[in-house]
Structure formats: C-alpha cells, structure tokens
Amino acid sequence: MSQAPFGALVAALAALATALGFLAIELRADGYEQYVGSVNNASVVLYVAAIMVGVAWARDRRLRSG
C-alpha cells in the first residue's frame, strides 16, 4: 500500500484557510461585518485541521520508520 498524500492535504488545507482569511479581510473592508466571524471561524478550523493532519503525518512516518 502506498503512503497517503499527507503533504498535499496539509498544503491544500492551509491554502484554503489562508484564502478564507483574506476573504474575511475583504469582507470587513467592504462592510459585510456579519459574515466576518463565520469566515474567520472556518479559517481557524481549517488551520487546525491542517495541523492535525501534519501531526498524523509525523506519527505515520515514525511508525513506518521503525
């Protein structure tokens, strides 16, 4: 079985979280304050998911190396 594409998933999640962060900045600048909190929360959730996948990647590599 080949190794799961953890790196690509971490990069994709982090990129999406960054894009949502910039969207929140644009929404605030355009006056859509009611949506900024939700977009910020989604961005933080995606960053946390990227970190968790990164931790899973590190643990998987450690288990396969021994």
Side-chain angles (χ1 to χ4, degrees), residues 44 47 59 63:
V44 169
Y47 276 126
R59 291 182 58 135
L63 289 174

Side-chain angles (χ1 to χ4, degrees), residues 13 17 42-54:
L13 287 172
S43 178
V44 169
V45 166
L46 285 173
Y47 276 126
V48 170
I51 290 168
M52 291 173 64
V53 170

Side-chain angles (χ1 to χ4, degrees), residues 16-35:
L16 184 56
T18 302
L20 284 175
F22 282 117
L23 176 63
I25 292 169
E26 289 294 321
L27 287 173
R28 181 164 299 190
D30 291 340
Y32 292 102
E33 288 289 330
Q34 68 268 27
Y35 302 114

